[in-house]
Amino acid sequence: MKARVHIMLKDGVLDPQGEAVRHALGSLGFAGVTGVRQGKLIELDLAATDKTTAEAEVRAMCDRLLANTVIEKYTVEIL
Amino acid sequence: MKAAVITFPGSNCDRDLALALTAAGAEVHRVWHKDSALPEGIDLVGVPGGFSFGDYLRCGAIAAQSPIGAAVRAHAARGGYVLGICNGFQVLTEMALLPGVLMRNAGLKFICKPVGLEVAEAQSAFTAGWGKGDSISLPVAHHDGNYNADAATLDRLEGEGRVAFRYLDNPNGSARDIAGILSENRRVLGMMPHPERAVDPAQGSADGSVLFRSLVAGLVAA
């Protein structure tokens, strides 16, 4: 079983890297990019065979290590 | 005073920190991240600067979960002193021994230069050698030193006198110019500037030696 974790800064947390990317896109001539937020995508291969168990396990991984929930939010997809 | 200095893969200020503590009169033990216990009778744990685990995932996140991490948490929980400098500060926030996070510098650049600081709080074993409001100079060398926490946490830190150091000219975007903070019991200090790189006039500033001397004097007396 595979899991995919998307980690993004929470809304309202300034993302200076996203802002820099937005500026760079503007200077390349891509007009109309009004916002860029940059995050992380983590793919996990899991031994678990039960979807509910797998999701609970991955959420625990996010809370303990993969995300810093002070500033980041995450979503978990079980594939 | 007995101090332990931890080395993670990628730490690069561990030796400097050990030397600064030794010069101030501490007995220093070096500890490897895979050790699961601190030596007996340790008063202070030093978590050094560097790039532990290559800054993978988030700065300090993997070091915070290393085997020695549990021993450092237990040391702090029983009222032991902990000093985290630069990457060490990041590790302490990831361990939740200190609130908030250190984000990418607002200007996105790695900053390596001496900075002016205000000693914002003298009521701690770390800062007792200064007067509140003193101006000092220490070097910074970081890419992720932009301190942030929610407004309630920042208000609390300020209200409880737990902001130890503030930048005089904020280099990295840190909320409320915060350069270093204390834990609730004032025994855990995390700071981005490097006092261990300013302990001898030959280094450009010896202001950092005040911190180490205060610690050694304060902890021996205790």
Side-chain angles (χ1 to χ4, degrees):
Chain A
M1 195 164 266
K2 279 184 186 295
R4 196 175 279 160
V5 178
H6 285 265
I7 298 166
M8 294 296 294
L9 287 172
K10 286 179 178 170
D11 300 336
V13 176
L14 181 70
D15 177 5
Q17 296 181 92
E19 269 302 286
V21 172
R22 188 178 67 81
H23 279 288
L25 289 172
S27 61
L28 283 172
F30 294 102
V33 181
T34 56
V36 176
R37 305 281 284 173
Q38 186 179 309
K40 291 188 192 101
L41 170 62
I42 300 176
E43 290 186 335
L44 304 162
D45 291 316
L46 302 170
T49 49
D50 175 64
K51 205 172 161 173
T52 317
T53 316
E55 183 167 342
E57 204 174 29
V58 174
R59 287 189 169 278
M61 294 176 200
C62 288
D63 291 332
R64 291 192 55 194
L65 179 66
L66 300 181
N68 182 335
T69 54
V70 176
I71 46 163
E72 292 172 329
K73 58 182 181 178
Y74 60 84
T75 56
V76 175
E77 268 181 279
I78 304 293
L79 309 170
Chain B
M1 193 270 266
K2 276 176 83 169
V5 173
I6 301 174
T7 300
F8 301 103
S11 294
N12 62 11
C13 302
D14 45 340
R15 186 171 173 275
D16 289 8
L17 180 54
L19 285 175
L21 283 163
T22 305
E27 175 189 330
V28 178
H29 298 257
R30 307 287 297 272
V31 177
W32 182 233
H33 72 111
K34 283 189 175 167
D35 295 349
S36 53
L38 295 164
E40 278 293 307
I42 289 294
D43 301 299
L44 169 82
V45 175
V47 188
F51 302 84
S52 58
F53 295 92
D55 283 348
Y56 294 167
L57 191 63
R58 292 179 309 278
C59 301
I62 295 178
Q65 306 302 329
S66 62
I68 198 65
V72 175
R73 280 195 187 86
H75 170 80
R78 60 175 177 262
Y81 287 82
V82 184
L83 168 63
I85 299 168
C86 198
N87 186 224
F89 185 10
Q90 296 162 343
V91 172
L92 296 183
T93 61
E94 285 285 346
M95 281 182 172
L97 288 181
L98 291 170
V101 290
L102 292 141
M103 298 178 60
R104 182 52 48 103
N105 292 341
L108 298 176
K109 291 199 166 65
F110 190 98
I111 303 167
C112 186
K113 63 176 184 185
V115 298
L117 298 168
E118 177 204 356
V119 179
E121 185 53 59
Q123 299 290 317
S124 79
F126 304 94
T127 55
W130 286 295
K132 184 171 175 163
D134 281 359
S135 291
I136 61 171
S137 173
L138 295 177
V140 293
H142 61 247
H143 210 162
D144 299 78
N146 178 353
Y147 182 76
N148 266 283
D150 59 57
T153 304
L154 294 170
D155 289 345
R156 200 167 152 225
L157 288 172
E158 290 185 328
E160 295 174 356
R162 289 168 52 192
V163 177
F165 300 100
R166 281 184 210 275
Y167 299 109
L168 295 176
D169 183 12
N170 191 337
N172 55 24
S174 284
R176 305 191 193 176
D177 303 325
I178 289 173
I181 56 167
L182 293 158
S183 61
E184 207 168 345
N185 70 1
R186 318 182 82 73
R187 293 183 174 200
V188 181
L189 171 70
M191 61 190 296
M192 289 313 295
H194 286 273
E196 83 286 9
R197 293 190 191 178
V199 293
D200 187 292
Q203 290 172 305
S205 162
D207 288 349
S209 60
V210 175
L211 184 148
F212 298 106
R213 286 203 309 264
S214 310
L215 261 180
V216 170
L219 271 60
V220 165

